[in-house]
Amino acid sequence: MKRFFLYALFFCLASPLVSAQTRINDIRVEGLQRIAAETVFSALPLNVGDLITQQAVAQSSRALFATGNFDDIQIGVDKDVLVVRVTERPAISKINIEGNKALATDALLDGLKGAGLAEGQVFKRATLENMRMELTRQYVSQGRYDAGIETDVVAEPRNRVSISINIDEGSTASIKHINIVGNSVYDDETLLDEFELKPSGFFSFFSSSDKYAREKLKGDLETLNSYYLDRGYLRFNTDSIQVSISPDRKSVYITVNVTEGDKYTVSGAELSGDLVIPEDDLKRFILVREGQVFSQALVTSTEEFLVKRLGNEGYNFAKVRGIPEVDEDAGTVALKFFIDPGKRTYVRRISFEGNERTADEVLRREMRQMEGAPASADKIELSRIRLERLGYFKGAKVDTLEVPGSDDLIDLTYSVEEQSSGSLGASVGFSQDSGLLLSANIQQNNFLGTGKQVGFGVSRSDFLTSASFNYLDPYFTEDGVSRGFSVFYRATDFEEVNVASYTTDTYGTSVNFGYPISETERLGFELGYNLTSIEAGVRAVKEIKTSPRIFDAVDNYFVSTRDPSTGRYTVAEVLEDIANLPAGALTESDEPGFLDEYGDEFGNFTAGISWRQSTLNRGLLATRGASQSVSLEASIPGSDLEYYRLTYNGQLYVPISNSFTLRFKTELGYGDGYGNLDKLPFYEHFYAGGFSSVRGYRSNTLGPRSSPADVYRISQAATAIDSNGNATALSAQAGYVLDPATGQLVVDTASSLGDEADPFGGNVLVEGSIELLFPLPFVKDQRSVRSGLFLDAGNVFSTSCSSTQINCSSPSVDELRYSAGFGVTWITGFGPLTFSLGRALNDEKIDETEIFQFSLGRTF
């Protein structure tokens, strides 16, 4: 409460001295604790040298009270000194909020701060009371009619106070009944199906649709209005709404009174205003037609399309308004779309924000809207989409800013949020089969922020030694021609991991170019050379090398006789040099292996051509659009092996709601030999199973299996029996067993040796997948995470199966394998982290299944 104590001033004003008007010689401020004297002087309208008047003193009091810092102000005069005595308002030392759940504490504190209540600020009781009433209204708008808010202000030393706000949020009132009055065309059930709010029912506990909220009701009334307007009821009106609350404040009854009016049809539609674009061009975007039932949705869509079309010509501030002219007697409405294009705008400047690692140049070369050119809405949006397709960013936004002082210039600011665009991996391990495993790889698709792709990897173990390097410059030329190259070396000894007994040494290099043929299409060309040396071991499968085979390390044989009762062979003669084998001792193979026919070293020059089209909205974890690619790779005639591989990849994203998207994916492949080769080389086969294939099955295990090798029997310990029947122990030298009855070396088959048929791949690949993508709950940033349910199908087939292969067949729908499950991909700093839980649906006994699968560096 304001109080004015002018104890000396009134006395002076009554004296002859004051009547001569006293001039201020000094100003003294008393009572300050926290507030600096300069704050008072800056607010005080009186200064040293001013004359003291009653009006000036009153103005000074009002000015000091207006600062909000003081509870009491006293102004007086001591001779020629102006004395200002103040009582400061307390400062807020702490604000405690308890009991709130529906409204977050941080949000409440921000609201209090905006109203002037925050730690360190001056306490104002009126402001606190206003905030209490506003919070009560907020809870009432949520249907919490029994909410209560109590405030407590506690005085503390040094003129401070602490504020405690205790909130009892109560419970949300449930809707018991919604009644619509005045409707005759559509019944209550039909209209209430459009509402988000529902009366209490069996499923209300799960959906909370029966919890009243003022904002939800407002949205439902707008939905109701749109429902009628989109069906021709142009005069529909919501007359009134009554919301009743039960005495216990736990139940809500809603009544909506409406007037439906008559249904109207469209008698015609035309354009008016300033048609800066040919009328015939603009008429293509008018969606309403003569004879149609009037629809406000079509009118709104027409306005949006016309604005967008004008925006493509640089009229970015164009306005289009559909004006209905109603003929009540005929029940028709004529639509006139009035166009105000405004001034044609030009882009003055394009800038970028958020690209901390990526150079501006990398973003600028994706721009299709140029500086100095007319601002095209399509080109501005296409530029934004191209930034997202790079795969370097979680998302990209564009802001259009008017240039101050100009009505025909705008600035564009593209804001991006960077994400991991590569992968980094290293591992050290040990296995009984492979021994020590060491590997490291780096793949960076935005190397040092330049937009170039660089990758390097090395691996070393008992069975594999490899090194590779790849490089790609997507903008080798300014018009988007890309150039890249790769080199690699790989030495593999498959016998060490019990896969098959053969080793390969491969050197290779390639160079590739890509040419853009449209905004969404590219052609690719590649030339390469690889030199592969293959050495078959004793256990190499029959498709690789004929069997049975002789061990290179065994130089002897001996003759044995077979005991019919035991089936065992007993040595009857001493060891002999294998070079002296009797004629016909070796078993003739039914089919030669690949290396028997074509040799074991191949130098091949390869050429490839590819076509790719993509309208995906993002480079990683897309949510809409489509992509497809076709590629043909072939060895050039004159190479040691002449073959080709043709592959197709396609995917399509179909949004079915704001949260759910269907993804369709397929991969097809076919390969064969030509010229001097009648089959696809086995080391170029397709494989199926695992990530990016048919999940739920072990990686690369589907399809044809190899024929395990047959080998000639070797005896390590032998007993020779001479003609007199005397036994003589031979040294533990290995020797082949020769059956004198047949004159042939004894063969141990793969089944008797316990060998199993290993996956061998094939020359025909068929894969497909359907996925339902949806957001993971409790994850705030969904742009780095993909989750979904999947149904996979696929297999590998062969058109050149050998007679001894198992599980080998030509393409057949009956042989497709199916799986279903759930998968998640998360983009981390080390690359995509992916896992899936999949179940095989029609696996056969030979198939190898795997429920849980995990990968770092690959997406699904």
Side-chain angles (χ1 to χ4, degrees), residues 764-783:
V764 180
L765 173 67
V766 178
E767 289 179 350
S769 178
I770 301 176
E771 299 171 16
L772 177 62
L773 306 179
F774 55 86
L776 277 178
F778 314 116
V779 177
K780 292 184 179 180
D781 190 355
Q782 295 289 338
R783 295 169 299 175

PDB file of all heavy atoms in Angstrom, residues 764-783:
ATOM      1  N   VAL A 764      21.112 -68.192 -58.987  1.00  0.00           N
ATOM      2  CA  VAL A 764      19.818 -67.505 -59.027  1.00  0.00           C
ATOM      3  C   VAL A 764      19.442 -67.103 -57.604  1.00  0.00           C
ATOM      4  O   VAL A 764      19.443 -67.938 -56.695  1.00  0.00           O
ATOM      5  CB  VAL A 764      18.712 -68.402 -59.613  1.00  0.00           C
ATOM      6  CG1 VAL A 764      17.383 -67.649 -59.643  1.00  0.00           C
ATOM      7  CG2 VAL A 764      19.082 -68.859 -61.021  1.00  0.00           C
ATOM      8  N   LEU A 765      19.130 -65.826 -57.407  1.00  0.00           N
ATOM      9  CA  LEU A 765      18.759 -65.307 -56.090  1.00  0.00           C
ATOM     10  C   LEU A 765      17.373 -64.687 -56.168  1.00  0.00           C
ATOM     11  O   LEU A 765      17.081 -63.890 -57.064  1.00  0.00           O
ATOM     12  CB  LEU A 765      19.767 -64.248 -55.634  1.00  0.00           C
ATOM     13  CG  LEU A 765      19.426 -63.491 -54.338  1.00  0.00           C
ATOM     14  CD1 LEU A 765      19.470 -64.421 -53.140  1.00  0.00           C
ATOM     15  CD2 LEU A 765      20.369 -62.305 -54.138  1.00  0.00           C
ATOM     16  N   VAL A 766      16.517 -65.039 -55.209  1.00  0.00           N
ATOM     17  CA  VAL A 766      15.178 -64.463 -55.108  1.00  0.00           C
ATOM     18  C   VAL A 766      14.938 -64.116 -53.643  1.00  0.00           C
ATOM     19  O   VAL A 766      14.956 -65.008 -52.780  1.00  0.00           O
ATOM     20  CB  VAL A 766      14.086 -65.428 -55.597  1.00  0.00           C
ATOM     21  CG1 VAL A 766      12.705 -64.799 -55.430  1.00  0.00           C
ATOM     22  CG2 VAL A 766      14.317 -65.813 -57.054  1.00  0.00           C
ATOM     23  N   GLU A 767      14.726 -62.836 -53.350  1.00  0.00           N
ATOM     24  CA  GLU A 767      14.470 -62.396 -51.982  1.00  0.00           C
ATOM     25  C   GLU A 767      13.421 -61.297 -51.988  1.00  0.00           C
ATOM     26  O   GLU A 767      13.347 -60.489 -52.915  1.00  0.00           O
ATOM     27  CB  GLU A 767      15.740 -61.850 -51.316  1.00  0.00           C
ATOM     28  CG  GLU A 767      16.772 -62.900 -50.996  1.00  0.00           C
ATOM     29  CD  GLU A 767      18.018 -62.313 -50.368  1.00  0.00           C
ATOM     30  OE1 GLU A 767      18.156 -61.064 -50.354  1.00  0.00           O
ATOM     31  OE2 GLU A 767      18.852 -63.110 -49.900  1.00  0.00           O
ATOM     32  N   GLY A 768      12.620 -61.255 -50.937  1.00  0.00           N
ATOM     33  CA  GLY A 768      11.621 -60.209 -50.778  1.00  0.00           C
ATOM     34  C   GLY A 768      11.281 -60.034 -49.315  1.00  0.00           C
ATOM     35  O   GLY A 768      11.483 -60.939 -48.498  1.00  0.00           O
ATOM     36  N   SER A 769      10.766 -58.847 -48.970  1.00  0.00           N
ATOM     37  CA  SER A 769      10.459 -58.568 -47.573  1.00  0.00           C
ATOM     38  C   SER A 769       9.347 -57.532 -47.491  1.00  0.00           C
ATOM     39  O   SER A 769       9.269 -56.621 -48.312  1.00  0.00           O
ATOM     40  CB  SER A 769      11.705 -58.060 -46.846  1.00  0.00           C
ATOM     41  OG  SER A 769      11.424 -57.750 -45.501  1.00  0.00           O
ATOM     42  N   ILE A 770       8.497 -57.703 -46.487  1.00  0.00           N
ATOM     43  CA  ILE A 770       7.476 -56.710 -46.141  1.00  0.00           C
ATOM     44  C   ILE A 770       7.690 -56.360 -44.674  1.00  0.00           C
ATOM     45  O   ILE A 770       7.768 -57.254 -43.826  1.00  0.00           O
ATOM     46  CB  ILE A 770       6.044 -57.237 -46.363  1.00  0.00           C
ATOM     47  CG1 ILE A 770       5.832 -57.637 -47.816  1.00  0.00           C
ATOM     48  CG2 ILE A 770       5.022 -56.185 -45.948  1.00  0.00           C
ATOM     49  CD1 ILE A 770       4.476 -58.261 -48.070  1.00  0.00           C
ATOM     50  N   GLU A 771       7.781 -55.063 -44.381  1.00  0.00           N
ATOM     51  CA  GLU A 771       8.031 -54.623 -43.012  1.00  0.00           C
ATOM     52  C   GLU A 771       7.025 -53.552 -42.621  1.00  0.00           C
ATOM     53  O   GLU A 771       6.684 -52.691 -43.421  1.00  0.00           O
ATOM     54  CB  GLU A 771       9.447 -54.066 -42.873  1.00  0.00           C
ATOM     55  CG  GLU A 771      10.535 -55.079 -43.193  1.00  0.00           C
ATOM     56  CD  GLU A 771      11.905 -54.429 -43.248  1.00  0.00           C
ATOM     57  OE1 GLU A 771      12.037 -53.297 -42.756  1.00  0.00           O
ATOM     58  OE2 GLU A 771      12.835 -55.046 -43.795  1.00  0.00           O
ATOM     59  N   LEU A 772       6.573 -53.636 -41.387  1.00  0.00           N
ATOM     60  CA  LEU A 772       5.743 -52.586 -40.797  1.00  0.00           C
ATOM     61  C   LEU A 772       6.621 -51.802 -39.845  1.00  0.00           C
ATOM     62  O   LEU A 772       6.974 -52.275 -38.768  1.00  0.00           O
ATOM     63  CB  LEU A 772       4.544 -53.190 -40.061  1.00  0.00           C
ATOM     64  CG  LEU A 772       3.641 -52.184 -39.328  1.00  0.00           C
ATOM     65  CD1 LEU A 772       3.011 -51.202 -40.321  1.00  0.00           C
ATOM     66  CD2 LEU A 772       2.574 -52.903 -38.515  1.00  0.00           C
ATOM     67  N   LEU A 773       6.995 -50.588 -40.241  1.00  0.00           N
ATOM     68  CA  LEU A 773       7.882 -49.749 -39.437  1.00  0.00           C
ATOM     69  C   LEU A 773       7.047 -48.875 -38.503  1.00  0.00           C
ATOM     70  O   LEU A 773       6.024 -48.321 -38.902  1.00  0.00           O
ATOM     71  CB  LEU A 773       8.739 -48.871 -40.343  1.00  0.00           C
ATOM     72  CG  LEU A 773       9.538 -49.599 -41.432  1.00  0.00           C
ATOM     73  CD1 LEU A 773      10.319 -48.594 -42.266  1.00  0.00           C
ATOM     74  CD2 LEU A 773      10.482 -50.623 -40.817  1.00  0.00           C
ATOM     75  N   PHE A 774       7.512 -48.751 -37.271  1.00  0.00           N
ATOM     76  CA  PHE A 774       6.798 -47.941 -36.292  1.00  0.00           C
ATOM     77  C   PHE A 774       7.801 -47.384 -35.293  1.00  0.00           C
ATOM     78  O   PHE A 774       8.897 -47.933 -35.109  1.00  0.00           O
ATOM     79  CB  PHE A 774       5.726 -48.767 -35.570  1.00  0.00           C
ATOM     80  CG  PHE A 774       6.258 -50.016 -34.924  1.00  0.00           C
ATOM     81  CD1 PHE A 774       6.804 -50.001 -33.651  1.00  0.00           C
ATOM     82  CD2 PHE A 774       6.215 -51.228 -35.613  1.00  0.00           C
ATOM     83  CE1 PHE A 774       7.292 -51.154 -33.069  1.00  0.00           C
ATOM     84  CE2 PHE A 774       6.698 -52.384 -35.038  1.00  0.00           C
ATOM     85  CZ  PHE A 774       7.242 -52.344 -33.753  1.00  0.00           C
ATOM     86  N   PRO A 775       7.462 -46.279 -34.613  1.00  0.00           N
ATOM     87  CA  PRO A 775       8.404 -45.676 -33.660  1.00  0.00           C
ATOM     88  C   PRO A 775       8.492 -46.494 -32.381  1.00  0.00           C
ATOM     89  O   PRO A 775       7.496 -47.060 -31.918  1.00  0.00           O
ATOM     90  CB  PRO A 775       7.811 -44.292 -33.404  1.00  0.00           C
ATOM     91  CG  PRO A 775       6.346 -44.455 -33.681  1.00  0.00           C
ATOM     92  CD  PRO A 775       6.240 -45.469 -34.786  1.00  0.00           C
ATOM     93  N   LEU A 776       9.696 -46.545 -31.820  1.00  0.00           N
ATOM     94  CA  LEU A 776       9.868 -47.188 -30.516  1.00  0.00           C
ATOM     95  C   LEU A 776       9.362 -46.258 -29.424  1.00  0.00           C
ATOM     96  O   LEU A 776       9.639 -45.057 -29.451  1.00  0.00           O
ATOM     97  CB  LEU A 776      11.348 -47.493 -30.267  1.00  0.00           C
ATOM     98  CG  LEU A 776      11.918 -48.769 -30.881  1.00  0.00           C
ATOM     99  CD1 LEU A 776      13.399 -48.869 -30.553  1.00  0.00           C
ATOM    100  CD2 LEU A 776      11.197 -50.005 -30.376  1.00  0.00           C
ATOM    101  N   PRO A 777       8.619 -46.776 -28.452  1.00  0.00           N
ATOM    102  CA  PRO A 777       8.176 -45.918 -27.353  1.00  0.00           C
ATOM    103  C   PRO A 777       9.361 -45.483 -26.493  1.00  0.00           C
ATOM    104  O   PRO A 777      10.389 -46.165 -26.431  1.00  0.00           O
ATOM    105  CB  PRO A 777       7.216 -46.830 -26.570  1.00  0.00           C
ATOM    106  CG  PRO A 777       7.640 -48.224 -26.916  1.00  0.00           C
ATOM    107  CD  PRO A 777       8.138 -48.164 -28.334  1.00  0.00           C
ATOM    108  N   PHE A 778       9.203 -44.334 -25.870  1.00  0.00           N
ATOM    109  CA  PHE A 778      10.184 -43.774 -24.933  1.00  0.00           C
ATOM    110  C   PHE A 778      11.467 -43.307 -25.632  1.00  0.00           C
ATOM    111  O   PHE A 778      12.450 -43.007 -24.963  1.00  0.00           O
ATOM    112  CB  PHE A 778      10.536 -44.765 -23.822  1.00  0.00           C
ATOM    113  CG  PHE A 778       9.355 -45.437 -23.201  1.00  0.00           C
ATOM    114  CD1 PHE A 778       9.172 -46.796 -23.307  1.00  0.00           C
ATOM    115  CD2 PHE A 778       8.398 -44.679 -22.524  1.00  0.00           C
ATOM    116  CE1 PHE A 778       8.068 -47.406 -22.748  1.00  0.00           C
ATOM    117  CE2 PHE A 778       7.289 -45.284 -21.961  1.00  0.00           C
ATOM    118  CZ  PHE A 778       7.118 -46.651 -22.070  1.00  0.00           C
ATOM    119  N   VAL A 779      11.501 -43.272 -26.961  1.00  0.00           N
ATOM    120  CA  VAL A 779      12.661 -42.770 -27.690  1.00  0.00           C
ATOM    121  C   VAL A 779      12.284 -41.409 -28.266  1.00  0.00           C
ATOM    122  O   VAL A 779      11.395 -41.307 -29.115  1.00  0.00           O
ATOM    123  CB  VAL A 779      13.092 -43.734 -28.814  1.00  0.00           C
ATOM    124  CG1 VAL A 779      14.250 -43.139 -29.600  1.00  0.00           C
ATOM    125  CG2 VAL A 779      13.482 -45.080 -28.230  1.00  0.00           C
ATOM    126  N   LYS A 780      12.975 -40.344 -27.814  1.00  0.00           N
ATOM    127  CA  LYS A 780      12.606 -38.993 -28.229  1.00  0.00           C
ATOM    128  C   LYS A 780      12.966 -38.731 -29.688  1.00  0.00           C
ATOM    129  O   LYS A 780      12.177 -38.202 -30.449  1.00  0.00           O
ATOM    130  CB  LYS A 780      13.293 -37.971 -27.322  1.00  0.00           C
ATOM    131  CG  LYS A 780      12.781 -37.984 -25.895  1.00  0.00           C
ATOM    132  CD  LYS A 780      13.441 -36.885 -25.066  1.00  0.00           C
ATOM    133  CE  LYS A 780      12.914 -36.877 -23.636  1.00  0.00           C
ATOM    134  NZ  LYS A 780      13.545 -35.810 -22.821  1.00  0.00           N
ATOM    135  N   ASP A 781      14.183 -39.096 -30.087  1.00  0.00           N
ATOM    136  CA  ASP A 781      14.653 -38.803 -31.442  1.00  0.00           C
ATOM    137  C   ASP A 781      14.517 -40.065 -32.291  1.00  0.00           C
ATOM    138  O   ASP A 781      15.362 -40.950 -32.257  1.00  0.00           O
ATOM    139  CB  ASP A 781      16.105 -38.335 -31.419  1.00  0.00           C
ATOM    140  CG  ASP A 781      16.554 -37.786 -32.766  1.00  0.00           C
ATOM    141  OD1 ASP A 781      15.764 -37.872 -33.729  1.00  0.00           O
ATOM    142  OD2 ASP A 781      17.681 -37.278 -32.852  1.00  0.00           O
ATOM    143  N   GLN A 782      13.433 -40.144 -33.056  1.00  0.00           N
ATOM    144  CA  GLN A 782      13.170 -41.330 -33.866  1.00  0.00           C
ATOM    145  C   GLN A 782      13.957 -41.332 -35.166  1.00  0.00           C
ATOM    146  O   GLN A 782      13.961 -42.341 -35.874  1.00  0.00           O
ATOM    147  CB  GLN A 782      11.667 -41.418 -34.190  1.00  0.00           C
ATOM    148  CG  GLN A 782      10.783 -41.635 -32.977  1.00  0.00           C
ATOM    149  CD  GLN A 782      10.922 -43.033 -32.389  1.00  0.00           C
ATOM    150  OE1 GLN A 782      11.341 -43.966 -33.071  1.00  0.00           O
ATOM    151  NE2 GLN A 782      10.592 -43.183 -31.108  1.00  0.00           N
ATOM    152  N   ARG A 783      14.655 -40.233 -35.488  1.00  0.00           N
ATOM    153  CA  ARG A 783      15.348 -40.156 -36.770  1.00  0.00           C
ATOM    154  C   ARG A 783      16.580 -41.049 -36.806  1.00  0.00           C
ATOM    155  O   ARG A 783      17.074 -41.372 -37.883  1.00  0.00           O
ATOM    156  CB  ARG A 783      15.738 -38.707 -37.060  1.00  0.00           C
ATOM    157  CG  ARG A 783      14.552 -37.768 -37.254  1.00  0.00           C
ATOM    158  CD  ARG A 783      14.995 -36.331 -37.274  1.00  0.00           C
ATOM    159  NE  ARG A 783      15.633 -35.951 -36.022  1.00  0.00           N
ATOM    160  CZ  ARG A 783      16.200 -34.760 -35.816  1.00  0.00           C
ATOM    161  NH1 ARG A 783      16.204 -33.869 -36.790  1.00  0.00           N
ATOM    162  NH2 ARG A 783      16.756 -34.475 -34.655  1.00  0.00           N
TER     163      ARG A 783
END
